[in-house]
Amino acid sequence: MDTTLQNNPAIGESWNDLQKELFTPEEIEESKLRVALIGELIQARQSEGLSQRDLERLTGIRQPAIARIESGKSCPSIDTVMRLLRPLGKTLAIVPLKES
């Protein structure tokens, strides 16, 4: 997030403080995971030199749906995520949580 928003005196509190008031720790972690997953998906698609239309042809998932997923406007099912990742040579993995 833009650091000017995090400590903007017009807002009053930093985003992290406000976020902790508005959301549970689980909701914050879920949001971070969603952002990371979308970022990885976009990066993998771009590093393969594929457009959203190319990914549509490879997966059968319509380009507008891919655009909604990549913009965070849609929350895809695990099946959809797997269909998008497969032609990019990626998969999901379950790993232990980092110790805090």
Side-chain angles (χ1 to χ4, degrees), residues 61-76:
I61 298 170
R62 303 290 312 266
Q63 181 275 328
I66 294 170
R68 285 191 301 274
I69 291 166
E70 288 188 1
S71 69
K73 294 178 182 172
S74 174
C75 187

Side-chain angles (χ1 to χ4, degrees), residues 16-80:
N16 290 334
D17 292 339
L18 183 60
Q19 188 178 34
K20 289 175 186 173
E21 282 184 37
L22 297 174
F23 304 106
T24 66
E26 292 81 13
E27 290 170 325
I28 293 169
E29 287 305 311
E30 182 181 328
S31 177
K32 288 179 182 179
L33 177 60
R34 187 177 301 118
V35 168
L37 178 63
I38 291 169
E40 289 292 327
L41 176 64
I42 293 168
Q43 182 179 1
R45 178 180 60 75
Q46 291 175 341
S47 66
E48 291 292 320
L50 298 173
S51 67
Q52 291 177 348
R53 287 268 180 227
D54 295 331
L55 196 53
E56 174 185 29
R57 283 189 286 280
L58 293 169
T59 62
I61 298 170
R62 303 290 312 266
Q63 181 275 328
I66 294 170
R68 285 191 301 274
I69 291 166
E70 288 188 1
S71 69
K73 294 178 182 172
S74 174
C75 187
S77 68
I78 291 176
D79 290 341
T80 300

